[in-house]
Amino acid sequence: MEYTGTVAKCIYSVPGFTVFRFRTSQGEFTALGKLDDIREGEKLYLRGSFENHPKFGRQLKIESWEKIIPTDRDEAVELLSSGIVKGVGPATARKIVDALGPGAVEKILENPDVLNSIKGLGKKAPKIARSIMETYSAQRAVKELVSFGMTVNAAQKIYRAFGRQAPELVKLNPYCLTEVDGMGFLKADEIAQKIGVKRDSRFRVEAGVLFILNEALWKEGHTYLPVEKLLEKTLALLNKEYDCVTREQVLEALNHSDIKAHTRGISLAWAYRCEKDIAENIGRLRGKLSAIDPEPVIACFEKAHDITLTPGQREAVKMAVNSGLSILTGGPGVGKTATVRAVVHVFEKLFPGKEIRLAAPTGRAARRMAEVTGKQACTVHRLLGIDRSGKPAFNRNNPLDCGLLIIDETSMMDCFLARNVLNAVKKGTRVLFVGDPDQLPSVGPGSVLKDILSSSVPKVTLTEVFRQAAESQIITNAHRINRGLPLLIDRSRTDLFFIEKDEPEEIARSVVTWAAGLSRKGEDVQVLSPKKDGFLGTWELNRLIQEAVNPAGREIKYGNQTFRVGDRVIQTRNNYEKYVFNGDIGVIKRIGSKVEVQFNGDVVPYSYDELWELELAYCISVHRSQGSEFGTVIVPVSTSHYFMLARNLLYTAVSRAKKRLVLVGSKKALAMAIKNDSPVKRYTMLGEFLNAGGTYW
C-alpha cells in the first residue's frame, strides 16, 4: 500500500527507527519504520502494510519511504516556510520560488550557490542552502548508496556512520564499508565490483589481508597468523574467481598501520599490543611480596572448618599469600573451592582491613563463587566498571583498591578481558587466577591461561580427587576422559546415564524426551551440543525442545527464530548499555512493545531490532556453557559431529553437570572424542612474550 502525506507528530525516534503520526487526504494513522532525520511538517511518500499491534492498535509498518521534493509553486512555498528550513518565512519563501521557479528546492540541492543571486537574502543564503541540504542529504545519500547494490537498511547504517559524504567515500574506496558494523569484506567486495574497482586494487588487497586477520582473531582465536598461512588464505580469498592478485602485492599490503609484522608472523597491531600489555603487566605484578609463614593461620582455618588441607592445597595458600600473581589449577573435585576459601580466610587474618575482591567472567560463575566462599563476588565486567561504550572505569590511572583479587574460571578470559583486568591492578595487590586449563579455550581470542602456565609465574596444580567427589560418577569420568580412558558407568546409580543411539534422528528424539521430561518437573536442565548447525546442532535442537516444552503462547518472530513468553534465551554479545553479556542466560517474561527478559533478577527490555542479540537456550554450544554449572546436562554424542569430537570438548561438557549427566549417542562417537587429544592450536604471542628471557620481568 502506498501513501503520500505529511508528518503530523513524531512520537518516538532513535537513530534508524522512528514512530510518527502521518496525515493523508484519507485520514491520519501511526506509521513506524527504519527512518532517519524525519521532522514534523515534512511531506513523505510511504510504502508498507498495516499490522495490528496488541497494545498500540493499527500501524503502518514502512517498507520504503522517500521525502517528497516539491515540483509546483504552492508546494515549494509551503515547504520552505513550514519551519523545516531555518530562517525562511512566507515572504522569503515566495521570493525564492519567484526567482527560481516551482522546482526551486531541486535547483538548490543541485547547486546551493543559486541562492546567492537572489536579492535581499544576503548572509542568509548559505544558511538557507545548508538547511535544505541537511533536510534532504540523508535521502539523497541513501538513494545513491542503494544504487550501488545495498539494501535500504544497510544504506541507512552507512549514512549514519559517514554522513552525507558516504556515497563519495564508498566510490573512492568501497572497502571503507568494513568499518561499519555488519558490513564485512565480502559485501564491500561485491559493491566494489559493481562500481568498477579493479580486482588488484591496493584498497582491495589491504582489505583482504585485514579480513583474514580479523576472521582468524574472532572466529578461530588466533592473535597472529604465520606469514605463509596468511598469504595462502589471502590469495585464496582474493583470487577465488579471477587470478589477479600476486603474492608480492599481498606482501606489500602488510606495510599497513593496522598490521604488525614480528618474528612469528603477522598480527593486527592492536591485538599484538594487547598480548604485550598482558606480559608487561604480569612482569609488573609478579614476584614475592613478603615472606610470611601462614601455617598457624592455615591450622586455625582447618580447625574452624573441620577439614585437613592436602599438601598441594597448603602450598597453594602459601603461594597466593606470598606472591604478587599466581595461578591455581585443577580439574573437578580436587579442592580448588576449599583452597580459595582458605586463601580468603588466611588473607583476612594476616592483613585485616585490606579489601578482597572476587570475580568471574560470567554471572553464573560469580554467583557460584559467592555461594561457596560466603563472600560477595561479581562479574569481571562489573568489577572493572565497564561503561556503555565498553570502557572500564578502573584502569592503570584508576586502579582497583584491594589487597587480594581472585578471578575464577580464567580459562574463559580472552586476551582483551585479561588485559583490562591486569591494567586495573596496582603493584602490591595479590592476584590469584583460578581455572582448569584442560577445558576449552576462551570464546574470544587468545589462550591466556595456558600461555601464562607455560611461563615461570608461580603456580600450583591440584590433582588429588577428594573421596566425596570421587563418589560422583560425573567427576570420576571427567578425570577418566581427561586421561584418555573409557567411561565407567554403574547402571544402578542415577547420576550418569549413557543412552545408546546411533542415528541422528534417534539421538535427537531421545535428547528432546529427556529435556522436556525433566523441564516439566522444574529441574535445572541444559542441553549442550558441539556446534550450531546440523540435525543435532543448537538451532534444530532448540526448535524441537521449544515445541515440546513451550509450544504455544504470546510470541514474536525474528528471522528464523520464534520467541515465546517462558522461553529460555541466551545473550550472544556483550551489551554494555543493557549490562548483559555474551553467555548470560535468561527467561522471556513478557512480549509487548518490547520483549522483556529476566537475567538474574533484572528485567531487561529488547526492541524488535535488538532481538538479533538473543538466541533460544534450551540447547547451547559447549563453548557457551563454560563458567556455568547446571543440575542436569544432556549431551548428544554423534559421529555426525566428526570434526568437533575432541577430548577437551567432551571434558568441558561433562564437567558442567552438578547432579546428573545424560550422554545420548553412539559408543563409537564417544570413543572418538576421548581418543582425540589434538585440539586446534591457537597461534598466540603471549607465551613468547612471557618467556622472553627476562625482558618483561
Side-chain angles (χ1 to χ4, degrees):
M1 304 176 78
E2 300 177 353
Y3 297 91
T4 301
T6 305
V7 177
K9 182 182 179 182
C10 286
I11 299 171
Y12 174 77
S13 182
V14 293
F17 184 77
T18 305
V19 182
F20 58 97
R21 294 291 291 172
F22 193 60
R23 186 178 298 125
T24 70
S25 57
Q26 291 86 32
E28 190 174 299
F29 53 82
T30 299
L32 71 162
K34 296 178 179 180
L35 288 78
D36 272 313
D37 195 27
I38 298 300
R39 306 179 210 176
E40 293 176 5
E42 287 187 312
K43 285 196 170 182
L44 304 178
Y45 158 80
L46 305 180
R47 186 169 66 82
S49 56
F50 277 100
E51 295 181 350
N52 280 312
H53 190 278
K55 182 177 180 180
F56 300 109
R58 190 168 177 260
Q59 299 176 326
L60 182 74
K61 189 174 181 181
I62 299 166
E63 295 167 7
S64 64
W65 63 281
E66 191 172 326
K67 290 185 181 182
I68 297 172
I69 299 175
T71 54
D72 68 40
R73 186 180 189 283
D74 290 343
E75 286 182 348
V77 171
E78 182 184 354
L79 172 79
L80 291 170
S81 60
S82 66
I84 292 171
V85 181
K86 296 171 186 174
V88 176
T92 304
R94 285 192 292 271
K95 182 185 291 186
I96 292 171
V97 176
D98 287 341
L100 301 179
V105 175
E106 182 67 49
K107 289 179 180 178
I108 295 166
L109 288 170
E110 290 176 357
N111 179 17
D113 293 338
V114 295
L115 288 172
N116 295 332
S117 62
I118 300 175
K119 291 182 180 180
L121 292 185
K123 293 181 179 179
K124 280 186 177 182
K127 293 181 181 179
I128 294 169
R130 187 163 54 251
S131 183
I132 292 172
M133 294 295 289
E134 287 173 355
T135 299
Y136 287 95
S137 62
Q139 175 181 315
R140 293 169 78 87
V142 167
K143 198 169 184 178
E144 190 170 356
L145 289 168
V146 168
S147 73
F148 297 159
M150 59 188 74
T151 65
V152 173
N153 289 346
Q156 288 177 327
K157 188 183 287 187
I158 292 160
Y159 174 77
R160 288 195 294 275
F162 298 125
R164 74 175 76 170
Q165 72 270 32
E168 291 306 314
L169 287 174
V170 172
K171 281 189 280 188
L172 177 66
N173 174 17
Y175 298 98
C176 70
L177 294 174
T178 58
E179 299 172 26
V180 180
D181 189 31
M183 291 290 292
F185 171 83
L186 299 179
K187 186 61 182 177
D189 201 37
E190 181 185 317
I191 291 167
Q193 304 319 308
K194 285 183 179 177
I195 62 178
V197 174
K198 290 184 178 180
R199 291 181 181 273
D200 64 349
S201 156
R202 176 176 59 86
F203 291 130
R204 182 170 185 257
V205 179
E206 288 179 352
V209 171
L210 290 170
F211 172 75
I212 294 297
L213 288 172
N214 271 293
E215 288 282 289
L217 185 75
W218 296 111
K219 290 192 174 180
E220 299 175 59
H222 302 307
T223 58
Y224 80 91
L225 284 178
V227 175
E228 287 304 319
K229 188 171 281 289
L230 175 62
L231 285 168
E232 175 191 334
K233 286 177 171 287
T234 305
L235 288 169
L237 171 73
L238 300 177
N239 292 333
K240 188 174 183 180
E241 295 180 18
Y242 301 94
D243 193 9
C244 52
V245 176
T246 66
R247 177 187 174 92
E248 288 68 31
Q249 285 175 302
V250 177
L251 287 170
E252 189 177 331
L254 302 182
N255 296 315
H256 188 283
S257 60
D258 291 337
I259 293 172
K260 171 69 177 177
H262 48 82
T263 55
R264 291 280 189 90
I266 308 296
S267 298
L268 291 166
W270 58 279
Y272 179 89
R273 183 67 241 179
C274 176
E275 288 194 292
K276 201 166 186 179
D277 283 349
I278 294 172
E280 290 173 349
N281 273 316
I282 289 173
R284 175 175 63 86
L285 297 170
R286 75 186 300 270
K288 292 199 172 187
L289 296 180
S290 59
I292 296 172
D293 179 11
E295 190 60 45
V297 187
I298 293 174
C300 292
F301 170 80
E302 290 176 316
K303 185 176 181 181
H305 292 83
D306 193 25
I307 63 172
T308 301
L309 298 182
T310 66
Q313 289 177 307
R314 296 183 109 75
E315 183 187 348
V317 174
K318 293 175 183 178
M319 170 189 72
V321 168
N322 288 308
S323 303
L325 187 146
S326 56
I327 305 178
L328 171 65
T329 69
V334 297
K336 295 195 299 293
T337 298
T339 307
V340 169
R341 280 203 302 264
V343 170
V344 170
H345 175 92
V346 170
F347 185 87
E348 284 180 325
K349 298 299 181 184
L350 292 176
F351 304 99
K354 287 199 173 183
E355 189 174 358
I356 298 171
R357 303 296 299 272
L358 309 178
T362 67
R364 274 180 172 256
R367 286 196 302 279
R368 191 175 73 247
M369 198 179 187
E371 288 167 6
V372 299
T373 61
K375 301 291 181 182
Q376 280 192 341
C378 62
T379 64
V380 174
H381 293 88
R382 196 170 292 277
L383 171 79
L384 298 175
I386 293 177
D387 64 18
R388 292 182 174 186
S389 68
K391 292 182 179 179
F394 293 99
N395 49 44
R396 287 179 179 175
N397 298 321
N398 181 34
L400 293 163
D401 185 17
C402 61
L404 172 65
L405 172 63
I406 303 177
I407 307 289
D408 198 7
E409 297 288 355
T410 49
S411 64
M412 295 182 64
M413 279 206 307
D414 63 29
C415 57
F416 305 117
L417 190 58
R419 175 180 61 176
N420 283 338
V421 168
L422 293 171
N423 275 347
V425 179
K426 62 184 177 182
K427 190 171 177 61
T429 299
R430 289 156 176 80
V431 179
L432 177 64
F433 285 163
V434 183
D436 183 351
D438 294 317
Q439 289 189 31
L440 291 170
S442 58
V443 175
S447 187
V448 175
L449 180 59
K450 284 190 176 180
D451 285 344
I452 299 177
L453 285 170
S454 73
S455 75
S456 58
V457 167
K459 62 187 78 69
V460 168
T461 299
L462 302 178
T463 57
E464 183 179 337
V465 179
F466 281 78
R467 182 181 57 78
Q468 187 176 356
E471 293 174 358
S472 163
Q473 290 195 96
I474 298 169
I475 291 176
T476 297
N477 281 294
H479 285 280
R480 288 184 67 84
I481 290 168
N482 213 16
R483 297 198 302 271
L485 300 174
L487 301 189
L488 288 179
I489 301 175
D490 182 348
R491 296 181 183 277
S492 68
R493 297 168 62 184
T494 58
D495 60 343
L496 196 156
F497 297 88
F498 177 66
I499 313 301
E500 189 172 359
K501 303 287 182 184
D502 288 318
E503 297 303 319
E505 293 83 357
E506 293 179 327
I507 296 172
R509 278 196 297 271
S510 185
V511 166
V512 173
T513 299
W514 273 88
L518 294 172
S519 294
R520 292 191 192 103
K521 292 179 181 178
E523 293 197 24
D524 175 26
V525 56
Q526 183 64 61
V527 179
L528 303 179
S529 177
K531 60 179 185 174
K532 283 190 171 186
D533 57 347
F535 200 79
L536 293 173
T538 59
W539 290 108
E540 182 63 11
L541 287 176
N542 267 317
R543 185 187 69 80
L544 294 172
I545 298 169
Q546 182 192 46
E547 288 307 306
V549 302
N550 193 24
R554 186 177 290 278
E555 66 180 39
I556 187 170
K557 294 183 183 296
Y558 185 85
N560 60 359
Q561 290 196 107
T562 299
F563 296 110
R564 298 188 181 115
V565 172
D567 275 340
R568 185 180 178 115
V569 293
I570 188 168
Q571 177 77 12
T572 62
R573 65 180 288 269
N574 290 338
N575 187 318
Y576 299 101
E577 190 166 339
K578 296 182 185 297
Y579 227 80
V580 288
F581 301 99
N582 191 354
D584 284 353
I585 293 176
V587 175
I588 296 177
K589 290 297 183 181
R590 182 174 177 274
I591 295 177
S593 58
K594 302 261 186 177
V595 175
E596 296 178 4
V597 182
Q598 184 171 350
F599 294 99
N600 309 328
D602 297 325
V603 175
V604 180
Y606 289 78
S607 67
Y608 181 81
D609 285 346
E610 293 172 321
L611 292 180
W612 67 274
E613 297 184 13
L614 297 176
E615 291 177 4
L616 291 173
Y618 297 105
C619 177
I620 63 175
S621 69
V622 179
H623 255 109
R624 288 196 186 280
S625 73
Q626 291 184 89
S628 299
E629 284 185 343
F630 309 94
T632 296
V633 167
I634 304 171
V635 186
V637 187
S638 169
T639 51
S640 66
H641 290 153
Y642 179 78
F643 291 108
M644 302 294 289
L645 291 175
R647 187 184 298 175
N648 64 346
L649 187 139
L650 181 63
Y651 171 76
T652 301
V654 166
S655 57
R656 299 307 90 202
K658 285 195 294 185
K659 296 180 180 178
R660 186 190 294 114
L661 172 68
V662 182
L663 300 170
V664 185
S666 70
K667 289 180 179 177
K668 181 180 178 182
L670 195 59
M672 288 168 61
I674 294 172
K675 183 180 178 181
N676 180 14
D677 190 28
S678 303
V680 176
K681 173 180 166 51
R682 288 189 171 184
Y683 296 114
T684 64
M685 287 297 295
L686 179 58
E688 180 167 305
F689 289 147
L690 290 171
N691 293 293
T695 304
Y696 300 100
W697 312 147

